[in-house]
């Protein structure tokens, strides 16, 4: 299972690693923290707005081998409820795509369009939803497939991104968690 783009716990603050060693059996917390479709952290359904808190959560956001995503808060894992995918990708005009946690995307691998018109990308971090506010910038990079070369009805376009041409295939939203190995709730 893919972690947050960082193997193991190397991206964690030393204070968090110390707390994990000191209190190894603290039970997980559920139903408090969620990630919305725009990459915002919500606590009990309300957006977290404190910048240092957001940065702390971003640094300690990981996935377990069971496909569940969590935030390591000191010795305690806080399970994250996902509105759709574990990653939200944003378009930064200066740098291109980045994750909702601020990691720059360098390796887009594949693209999908679901039945509701949501654009999903698989990158070196995993599957993620394009933030809907960035769709106009991304749409400028989409073109129709050459029908003489592509006869597959599941192909809905070609996305030119980071010097790569990604075939945009259709996918049903209900298939996304199983296909990409994560647990949304």
């Amino acid at each position: 299972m893919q972690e947050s783009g960082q193997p193991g716990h190397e991206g964690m603050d030393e204070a968090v690693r110390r707390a994990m060693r000191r209190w190894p059996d603290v039970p997980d917390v559920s139903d408090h923290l969620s990630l919305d479709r725009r990459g915002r952290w919500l606590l009990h359904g309300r957006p977290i707005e404190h910048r240092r808190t957001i940065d702390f959560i971003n640094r300690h956001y990981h996935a377990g081998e069971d496909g569940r995503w969590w935030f390591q808060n000191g010795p305690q894992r806080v399970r994250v409820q996902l509105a759709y995918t574990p990653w939200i990708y944003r378009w930064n005009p200066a740098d291109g795509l980045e994750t909702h946690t601020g990691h720059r995307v360098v390796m887009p691998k594949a693209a999908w369009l679901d039945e509701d018109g949501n654009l999903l990308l698989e990158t070196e971090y995993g599957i993620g939803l394009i933030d809907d506010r960035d769709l106009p910038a991304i749409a400028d990079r989409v073109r129709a497939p050459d029908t003489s070369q592509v006869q597959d009805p599941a192909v809905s376009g070609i996305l030119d991104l980071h010097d790569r041409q990604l075939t945009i295939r259709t996918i049903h939203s209900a298939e996304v968690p199983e296909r990409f190995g994560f647990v949304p709730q």
Side-chain angles (χ1 to χ4, degrees), residues 36-61:
D36 77 6
R37 295 171 69 96
R38 289 187 165 173
R40 292 178 298 202
W41 295 111
L42 308 175
L43 185 61
H44 299 289
R46 294 197 172 117
I48 297 173
E49 297 181 10
H50 189 268
R51 184 77 246 162
R52 286 177 53 190
T53 301
I54 293 167
D55 291 344
F56 184 77
I57 294 170
N58 287 347
R59 284 193 311 274
H60 300 97
Y61 178 57

Side-chain angles (χ1 to χ4, degrees), residues 57-72:
I57 294 170
N58 287 347
R59 284 193 311 274
H60 300 97
Y61 178 57
H62 298 277
E65 290 187 21
D66 62 357
R68 296 180 192 278
W69 286 79
W70 43 272
F71 149 62
Q72 189 72 44

